[in-house]
Amino acid sequence: MQSDPELERLRGSIDNLDAAIICLLAERFKITQQVGVLKRDRGLAAADPEREVQQIERLRDLAQRAHLDPEFAEKWLSFVVAEVVRHHEAIAAD
């Protein structure tokens, strides 16, 4: 099959963005681990439903302004928050 230079260029851009997203997620989780330790040390709950509501509203607004489906942004955040809470619960159990 013959390669399409335009398709390859676009796919390369996607690959670069995927790499950046993974690096940003790793950095985000490093910080949320620090939050988990702080919550444990201060006797705070692993989950913060009020903060989650604020974050959902903020990300839905950002998504809308960026022309990204706000429902998708909310689903993504919900997935990430569930993982963060799981980490915080594990930290609290240590």
Side-chain angles (χ1 to χ4, degrees), residues 68-82:
L68 180 68
D69 181 2
E71 290 293 319
F72 173 77
E74 184 173 343
K75 288 177 188 176
W76 174 82
L77 181 64
S78 294
F79 177 77
V80 169
V81 167

Side-chain angles (χ1 to χ4, degrees), residues 9 14-15 23 30-31 39 46 49 53 57 60 65 68 76 81-82 84 90:
R9 183 188 67 77
I14 290 168
D15 292 350
C23 290
K30 286 177 191 173
I31 296 167
K39 284 181 172 184
V53 167
E57 289 175 9
R60 284 183 67 92
R65 287 188 275 137
L68 180 68
W76 174 82
V81 167
V84 168

Side-chain angles (χ1 to χ4, degrees), residues 3-91:
S3 109
D4 181 330
E6 182 67 6
L7 180 59
E8 293 304 314
R9 183 188 67 77
L10 292 170
R11 286 179 173 168
S13 294
I14 290 168
D15 292 350
N16 289 338
L17 288 167
D18 287 344
I21 289 167
I22 293 299
C23 290
L24 288 170
L25 279 171
E27 189 61 29
R28 187 186 197 286
F29 276 96
K30 286 177 191 173
I31 296 167
T32 61
Q33 289 293 100
Q34 293 173 20
V35 169
V37 170
L38 191 65
K39 284 181 172 184
R40 180 199 61 204
D41 293 349
R42 296 195 176 162
L44 300 172
D48 185 347
E50 187 177 315
R51 165 85 172 151
E52 291 169 28
V53 167
Q54 292 170 350
Q55 285 295 88
I56 287 169
E57 289 175 9
R58 186 177 74 80
L59 283 187
R60 284 183 67 92
D61 181 57
L62 284 170
Q64 193 165 16
R65 287 188 275 137
H67 307 288
L68 180 68
D69 181 2
E71 290 293 319
F72 173 77
E74 184 173 343
K75 288 177 188 176
W76 174 82
L77 181 64
S78 294
F79 177 77
V80 169
V81 167
E83 187 67 10
V84 168
V85 168
R86 189 179 71 76
H87 290 181
H88 288 183
E89 289 169 344
I91 290 168

